[in-house]
Amino acid sequence: MYAVIKTGGKQYRVVAGEKLKVEQITADVGSEIVLDQVFMVAEGDNIKVGAPLVDGAKVTATIISHGRGEKIRIFKMRRRKHYQKHQGHRQNYTEIQISGISA
């Protein structure tokens, strides 16, 4: 059984027991969260597709940890103009483990 959910502006295909890193969620480590924006639920040949969401479907997950991603380096340069700009960015994330899918 799998589901397609939306969190943090992105869509993920999730299966029970799977760990994934999503955009930062403001909740404590170890707490249980409910993701109710479910676009599709499939179990074998039985597929439910929402328009846009599946009614009554939800995905429960446990927050494992919070962290920061790899550093991304940004370098801008204008040739012959003596202009160089260095910048970096690290995106915050939350690692979750999918507990169950209910339709």
Side-chain angles (χ1 to χ4, degrees):
M1 181 174 201
Y2 68 91
V4 176
I5 61 166
K6 178 182 177 181
T7 179
K10 298 178 180 73
Q11 295 179 12
Y12 300 95
R13 179 188 184 271
V14 296
V15 181
E18 179 182 16
K19 291 181 183 178
L20 70 147
K21 293 179 180 177
V22 298
E23 294 294 318
Q24 187 173 22
I25 298 171
T26 55
D28 295 329
V29 175
S31 64
E32 191 84 13
I33 58 170
V34 176
L35 304 167
D36 56 354
Q37 290 189 329
V38 180
F39 293 128
M40 185 178 97
V41 176
E43 185 171 15
D45 291 336
N46 185 13
I47 298 173
K48 293 181 186 175
V49 178
L53 301 176
V54 178
D55 293 330
K58 63 181 180 178
V59 174
T60 56
T62 306
I63 294 183
I64 298 172
S65 66
H66 298 290
R68 298 188 65 163
E70 292 289 318
K71 185 161 196 162
I72 297 173
R73 304 232 180 245
I74 298 125
F75 177 69
K76 295 181 179 181
M77 184 180 131
R78 301 270 186 238
R79 62 184 187 159
R80 301 185 306 269
K81 304 299 179 191
H82 200 262
Y83 170 80
Q84 291 182 353
K85 183 177 181 180
H86 300 273
Q87 191 175 357
H89 177 74
R90 291 181 72 185
Q91 186 71 23
N92 296 328
Y93 68 84
T94 298
E95 187 173 7
I96 61 173
Q97 182 167 13
I98 305 300
S99 305
I101 300 169
S102 64

